[in-house]
Amino acid sequence: MISYHDATNGALKVLRCGNPACSSANNIATVDDPANVVGDHSSIVVPADGLPFVSYYDSTAGALKVVKCGNAACSAGNVVA
């Protein structure tokens, strides 16, 4: 799992590798893509339940945010705080 700032779109994204080399079957999910520029300085952790937490900076609002992913790929059911 990799979290990163998509500088082109100003969004937070998460990449879930499809294999150990991340060379195929990868899944990229846009986790937060509001009107604000978000995703700077992201950090990700995957606890025992397999549902990642991502912390990141909202540059427009000047605020630290966190998201709890709703599934293992962060592609649905995410809760942003």
Side-chain angles (χ1 to χ4, degrees), residues 1-39:
M1 299 287 305
I2 301 165
S3 63
Y4 64 96
H5 170 73
D6 175 351
T8 301
N9 297 305
L12 172 67
K13 294 196 175 180
V14 170
L15 176 133
R16 180 178 173 95
C17 296
N19 62 35
C22 283
S23 59
S24 66
N26 299 328
N27 180 46
I28 298 174
T30 300
V31 178
D32 190 354
D33 186 16
N36 290 357
V37 176
V38 298

Side-chain angles (χ1 to χ4, degrees), residues 8 39 51 54 60 74:
T8 301
L51 302 176
V54 184
T60 305
C74 290

Side-chain angles (χ1 to χ4, degrees), residues 32-73:
D32 190 354
D33 186 16
N36 290 357
V37 176
V38 298
D40 286 334
H41 311 292
S42 70
S43 181
I44 191 167
V45 64
V46 182
D49 68 2
L51 302 176
F53 275 100
V54 184
S55 64
Y56 58 99
Y57 188 66
D58 179 331
S59 298
T60 305
L64 178 64
K65 288 186 170 181
V66 66
V67 62
K68 172 69 172 174
C69 297
N71 61 28

